[in-house]
Amino acid sequence: AGVEGCAALAESLKVNETLTELNLSSNGLGDEGCEILAEMLKYNTALTDLKISRNAISAAGYQKLVDGFKHNKTLAHLKLTGSQICVLGCKALAEIFRLGRLRSMNMSGDRIGDDGCKALGE
């Protein structure tokens, strides 16, 4: 799908009322794709499960995603496996925990280490 495909899909998902699960893993989304998804999350009221594993996203991209998640009331499951998330990315994602709406986040294979775990727990 890439960033272009993600943009087209995200535009339609802003008004989606039926699709509840979206898997965009291994699609080369990067930070730009996260920014697009974040904007979609501000409007989407149906999506409960988002999978964006293995997409070369930096801490800045995760922060954009978190910013969109703050406006979303339905997303409950986030899968980020094999994404090699850095400590700053973990710090950004920790904001999602503090909102108390996420029911599961899968980060298996991310090698976040002790510092990443600490950042998630802060």
Side-chain angles (χ1 to χ4, degrees), residues 41-42 44-45 47 68-75 101:
L41 285 173
K42 292 177 182 178
N44 182 280
T45 59
L47 200 63
F69 185 82
K70 288 176 183 176
H71 300 275
N72 184 283
K73 305 291 187 231
T74 58
L75 192 65
R101 293 190 302 262

Side-chain angles (χ1 to χ4, degrees), residues 11-114:
E11 206 45 49
S12 69
L13 288 175
K14 284 181 180 179
V15 295
N16 167 66
E17 295 180 359
T18 56
L19 186 72
T20 59
E21 184 176 329
L22 179 62
N23 187 344
L24 292 173
S25 297
S26 301
N27 271 292
L29 301 179
D31 293 346
E32 189 177 355
C34 269
E35 187 170 357
I36 292 165
L37 290 175
E39 187 64 23
M40 176 272 297
L41 285 173
K42 292 177 182 178
Y43 301 95
N44 182 280
T45 59
L47 200 63
T48 60
D49 192 335
L50 179 61
K51 297 173 180 148
I52 53 171
S53 300
R54 298 173 304 280
N55 270 300
I57 300 165
S58 76
Y62 287 117
Q63 185 60 59
K64 294 283 186 189
L65 191 66
V66 168
D67 292 344
F69 185 82
K70 288 176 183 176
H71 300 275
N72 184 283
K73 305 291 187 231
T74 58
L75 192 65
H77 308 281
L78 184 59
K79 186 172 183 180
L80 306 164
T81 60
S83 298
Q84 312 243 342
I85 301 168
C86 67
V87 173
L88 290 176
C90 288
K91 284 184 180 184
L93 291 168
E95 289 184 54
I96 292 176
F97 291 149
R98 288 191 285 277
L99 294 172
R101 293 190 302 262
L102 199 63
R103 289 195 278 153
S104 71
M105 184 161 75
N106 187 338
M107 300 174 73
S108 61
D110 284 334
R111 300 182 186 145
I112 62 173
D114 289 342

